[in-house]
């Protein structure tokens, strides 16, 4: 413990950080294995599901394994996938890929369109009915470390600290939550995950983790334009050939569509804006016709892992493990991760339960990594391991073409000719100086299908007390202006999808301003800042977006 604040100590069997699909699945699976085990799940969002954002078309295999009768129990899912297509966009046209050319390993049997936030709320209800303690509005802010470096639990965030660091009259110190094992299920680029990977060298011998930024809106459309169960994935415009990623449009229930864009964060041009590209995507004729007369209901953004098999870190550490997207189990070509998050939670739970049954605690569970990977995750990710490196190195046209050929060979012959390729640079190291690129100009939003960041942030339903310490911490406050601005044009205002960062003039001098109250907790700044000068940490528990239906 680094501070001197007197804290209450609470002991439990297992503490799980994050009430997403991995964390809740781990909790449920633990209780299924060990009914008398005390389990605590912490969630920083004010409400379960409030910080959850995903496309989402779910591969049901993970949920089938956790709760086989989930449909009978009333899990809140939308329509089954009825039509699944891939489309290449030029600036004005839409060119469908022939279905027969899509590799079999890119297809999802029994896919279901869901709101992952709604599903997590339902999973939390199932967990609480089993006697699992879930505490929303509670951020895990620090780690408790034993004499030999092992993890003994976590410290919850203090409440009632003013922006200047002083204690307000409402100050309440966080508690020490000590456990036999700690499972970290924070999602992509979590603050504790990042520290644990560094502390224990969990990424040694692995390729750098890669990330994308997913931006999503929910629209209510004309019933005549709505086709429940229709799923379309897009490549090409507006991202072009040099930037990997693509769009999606999922027709959910009640005349709603989920529309979004994933821009991988290994792009090179510092004037590129994922948010700006999303606005351009919506104005393509193929998308704009759906949105004519429609109403945008919700907005959100979240980083996702995209490194794939080569970037999975070591999972187990002394005292616990990484699970779900904290480790990175996204199948990039399928754009699916929920099933693997659930699988990882189930498998980790079985290993933790067995260790506790053997009267073990706070040690490294050596069998956990293989148990998780052999749960179906290896079979899902290993055959498509070449896709992300090819896409990043060769662009959309050649890279995706070769990736498609590699996946066909993998489907037919169970081998990957190009599987030895790996991504060699972290995303932040891919940026070129602004002097070496052609600046990208983004048109002013029309307010109909394309919106300003201010309008979008309003739809994210953010709650954030401005009188608290800024949770976006700069190692050196001078770096943005002294180094990033002249070299890269300071890309933070462009890569941030929520208007958190601004360059403003104070007389003749530029000033780097942080509007922390706008933060949607996407973690892009922590990933993409070229100086690696920004560290995202949790604000007060309950702060941030409060997504509905995402």
């Amino acid at each position: 413990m680094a501070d001197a604040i007197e804290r209450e100590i609470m002991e439990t069997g297992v503490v799980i950080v994050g009430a997403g699909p991995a964390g809740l699945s781990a909790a449920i699976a633990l209780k299924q294995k060990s009914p008398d085990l005390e389990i605590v799940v912490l969630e920083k969002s004010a409400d379960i599901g409030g910080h959850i954002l995903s496309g989402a078309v779910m591969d049901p295999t993970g949920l089938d394994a956790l709760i086989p009768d989930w449909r009978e129990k009333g899990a809140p899912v939308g329509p089954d996938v009825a039509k699944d297509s891939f489309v290449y966009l030029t600036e004005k046209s839409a060119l469908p890929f022939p279905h027969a050319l899509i590799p079999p390993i890119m297809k999802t049997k029994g896919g279901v369109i869901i709101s992952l936030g709604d599903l997590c709320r339902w999973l939390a209800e199932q967990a609480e009915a089993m006697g699992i303690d879930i505490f929303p509005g509670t951020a895990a802010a620090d780690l408790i470390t034993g004499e030999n470096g092992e993890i003994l639990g976590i410290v919850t965030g203090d409440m009632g600290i003013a922006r200047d660091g002083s204690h307000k009259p409402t100050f309440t110190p966080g508690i020490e939550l000590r456990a036999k094992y700690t499972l970290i299920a924070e999602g992509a680029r979590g603050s504790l995950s990042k520290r644990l990977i560094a502390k224990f060298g969990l990424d040694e011998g692995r390729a750098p983790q890669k990330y994308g930024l997913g931006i999503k809106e929910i629209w209510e459309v004309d019933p005549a334009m709505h086709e429940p169960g229709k799923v379309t994935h897009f490549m090409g415009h507006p991202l072009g050939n040099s930037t990997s990623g693509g769009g999606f449009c999922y027709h959910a229930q009640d005349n709603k569509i989920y529309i979004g864009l994933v821009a991988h964060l290994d792009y090179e041009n510092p004037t590129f804006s994922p948010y700006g590209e999303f606005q351009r995507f919506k104005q393509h004729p193929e998308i704009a016709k759906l949105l004519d007369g429609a109403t945008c209901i919700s907005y959100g953004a979240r980083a996702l892992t995209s490194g794939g098999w080569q970037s999975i870190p070591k999972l187990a550490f002394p005292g616990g493990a990484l699970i779900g997207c904290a480790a990175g189990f996204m199948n990039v070509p399928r754009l699916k991760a929920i099933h693997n998050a659930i699988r990882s939670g189930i498998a980790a739970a079985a290993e933790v339960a067995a260790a506790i049954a053997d009267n073990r605690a706070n040690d490294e569970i050596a069998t956990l990594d293989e148990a998780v990977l052999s749960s179906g995750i290896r079979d899902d990710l290993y055959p498509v391991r070449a896709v992300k490196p090819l896409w990043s190195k060769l662009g959309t046209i050649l890279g995706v073409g070769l990736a498609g050929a590699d996946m066909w060979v993998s489907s037919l012959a169970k081998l990957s000719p190009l599987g030895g390729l790996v991504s060699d640079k972290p995303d932040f190291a891919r940026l070129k100086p602004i002097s070496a690129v052609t600046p990208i100009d983004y048109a002013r939003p029309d307010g109909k299908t394309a919106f300003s960041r201010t309008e979008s942030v309003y739809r994210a339903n953010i709650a954030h007390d401005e009188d608290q310490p800024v949770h976006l911490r700069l190692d050196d406050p001078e770096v943005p202006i002294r180094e990033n601005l002249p070299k890269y044009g300071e890309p933070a205002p462009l890569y941030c999808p929520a208007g958190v960062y601004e360059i403003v003039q104070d007389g003749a001098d530029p000033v780097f301003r942080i509007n922390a109250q706008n933060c949607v907790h996407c973690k892009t700044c922590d990933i993409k800042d070229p100086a690696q000068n920004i560290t995202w940490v949790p604000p007060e528990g309950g702060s941030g977006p409060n997504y509905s239906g995402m």
Side-chain angles (χ1 to χ4, degrees):
M1 292 283 299
D3 59 32
I5 296 175
E6 186 174 337
R7 300 183 184 277
E8 178 186 351
I9 297 175
M10 175 179 170
E11 294 188 354
T12 190
V14 177
V15 62
I16 300 171
V17 179
L24 291 169
S25 298
I28 291 169
L30 273 166
K31 206 67 171 175
Q32 290 169 340
K33 291 279 186 182
S34 305
D36 296 329
L37 182 65
E38 292 184 345
I39 303 163
V40 172
V41 180
L42 304 180
E43 170 54 48
K44 62 185 175 64
S45 172
D47 298 298
I48 302 302
H51 289 176
I52 295 288
L53 185 147
S54 184
V57 174
M58 180 182 71
D59 178 335
T61 53
L63 194 54
D64 287 343
L66 180 70
I67 306 175
D69 57 345
W70 54 271
R71 286 187 184 271
E72 291 77 10
K73 287 185 173 180
V77 299
D80 293 345
V81 174
K83 182 181 179 181
D84 191 353
S85 59
F86 289 81
V87 176
Y88 185 86
L89 298 180
T90 65
E91 188 172 353
K92 297 294 183 182
S93 302
L95 308 173
F97 285 91
H99 192 71
L101 295 182
I102 304 300
I105 56 177
M106 285 186 65
K107 299 173 183 177
T108 299
K109 183 179 180 180
V112 185
I113 298 173
I114 67 166
S115 156
L116 185 55
D118 289 348
L119 181 64
C120 287
R121 277 184 280 274
W122 181 81
L123 287 172
E125 292 169 2
Q126 309 309 302
E128 288 178 320
M130 300 172 75
I132 295 165
D133 294 315
I134 301 177
F135 297 101
T138 306
D142 204 353
L143 298 162
I144 305 171
T145 304
E147 292 181 359
N148 298 314
E150 74 276 16
I151 301 304
L152 303 178
I154 61 90
V155 181
T156 64
D158 298 331
M159 304 287 283
I161 298 180
R163 190 179 181 94
D164 63 4
S166 62
H167 291 183
K168 295 187 281 190
T170 56
F171 174 74
T172 304
I175 67 170
E176 288 191 27
L177 188 52
R178 294 176 175 260
K180 295 176 180 179
Y181 292 100
T182 301
L183 296 178
I184 304 297
E186 299 173 300
R189 195 69 169 199
S191 56
L192 296 186
S193 310
K194 181 180 172 183
R195 289 170 56 186
L196 286 163
I197 289 170
K199 174 180 173 64
F200 293 110
L202 301 180
D203 58 352
E204 289 180 6
R206 272 69 168 181
Q209 185 58 269
K210 310 292 283 184
Y211 298 90
L213 174 61
I215 304 176
K216 175 184 174 182
E217 290 175 344
I218 301 177
W219 287 71
E220 187 168 351
V221 301
D222 184 340
M225 302 299 293
H226 189 243
E227 300 179 53
K230 181 180 180 180
V231 168
T232 310
H233 292 101
F234 301 91
M235 289 190 295
H237 182 85
L239 299 180
N241 185 55
S242 61
T243 302
S244 59
F248 62 85
C249 181
Y250 305 152
H251 289 243
Q253 68 271 41
D254 301 325
N255 297 320
K256 292 183 175 64
I257 63 170
Y258 303 157
I259 188 165
L261 182 80
V262 174
H264 292 175
L265 294 177
D266 52 4
Y267 62 83
E268 297 179 336
N269 190 330
T271 69
F272 178 90
S273 165
Y275 183 87
E277 298 296 325
F278 179 49
Q279 308 314 306
R280 293 173 62 198
F281 171 67
K282 290 183 292 177
Q283 293 178 309
H284 188 278
E286 187 73 6
I287 307 301
K289 66 184 182 184
L290 286 172
L291 305 184
D292 185 26
T295 302
C296 184
I297 299 170
S298 300
Y299 168 85
R302 183 67 171 94
L304 51 89
T305 57
S306 63
W309 177 259
Q310 298 95 324
S311 299
I312 297 173
K314 189 174 183 293
L315 307 178
F317 53 81
L322 306 177
I323 58 175
C325 287
F329 299 129
M330 170 72 75
N331 184 312
V332 172
R334 293 174 65 204
L335 200 60
K336 304 282 186 296
I338 298 168
H339 64 303
N340 284 337
I342 295 174
R343 284 168 168 169
S344 72
I346 296 171
E351 297 302 306
V352 169
I356 292 174
D358 286 341
N359 295 315
R360 295 165 56 187
N362 306 116
D363 61 339
E364 182 175 324
I365 303 176
T367 56
L368 187 142
D369 281 55
E370 178 56 28
V372 169
L373 296 178
S374 63
S375 68
I377 291 173
R378 176 185 287 109
D379 291 343
D380 191 45
L381 299 186
Y382 191 72
V384 299
R385 63 194 181 279
V387 173
K388 177 57 179 169
L390 283 167
W391 205 351
S392 295
K393 294 174 183 292
L394 301 178
T396 295
I397 295 174
L398 181 56
V400 171
L402 286 173
D406 187 81
M407 285 188 285
W408 264 111
V409 173
S410 185
S411 296
L412 298 173
K414 307 302 180 186
L415 59 89
S416 172
L418 301 174
L421 291 174
V422 297
S423 301
D424 56 353
K425 290 183 179 180
D427 292 334
F428 72 87
R430 297 266 299 184
L431 275 185
K432 293 181 176 179
I434 195 168
S435 60
V437 303
T438 301
I440 302 171
D441 181 44
Y442 293 98
R444 181 181 294 274
D446 62 10
K448 297 177 182 178
T449 57
F451 306 110
S452 68
R453 283 178 172 80
T454 301
E455 290 177 277
S456 293
V457 167
Y458 174 79
R459 293 191 182 97
N461 197 24
I462 294 174
H464 185 98
D465 182 357
E466 295 189 35
D467 189 19
Q468 64 173 295
V470 174
H471 67 284
L472 303 149
R473 298 178 179 174
L474 303 182
D475 293 342
D476 182 346
E478 305 301 321
V479 162
I481 301 301
R482 185 185 67 227
E483 298 179 19
N484 285 356
L485 186 61
K487 187 172 183 179
Y488 300 106
E490 182 45 78
L494 290 169
Y495 60 60
C496 173
V500 171
Y501 301 102
E502 294 180 284
I503 302 293
V504 297
Q505 291 298 129
D506 181 11
D509 299 320
V511 175
F512 188 67
R513 177 181 294 171
I514 301 176
N515 303 303
Q517 71 278 4
N518 287 357
C519 182
V520 294
H521 298 201
C522 73
K523 320 291 178 64
T524 303
C525 54
D526 194 297
I527 297 164
K528 192 61 178 176
D529 174 45
Q532 289 296 276
N533 186 52
I534 301 174
T535 299
W536 186 98
V537 298
E540 279 194 358
S543 299
N546 191 14
Y547 296 136
S548 176
M550 284 290 198

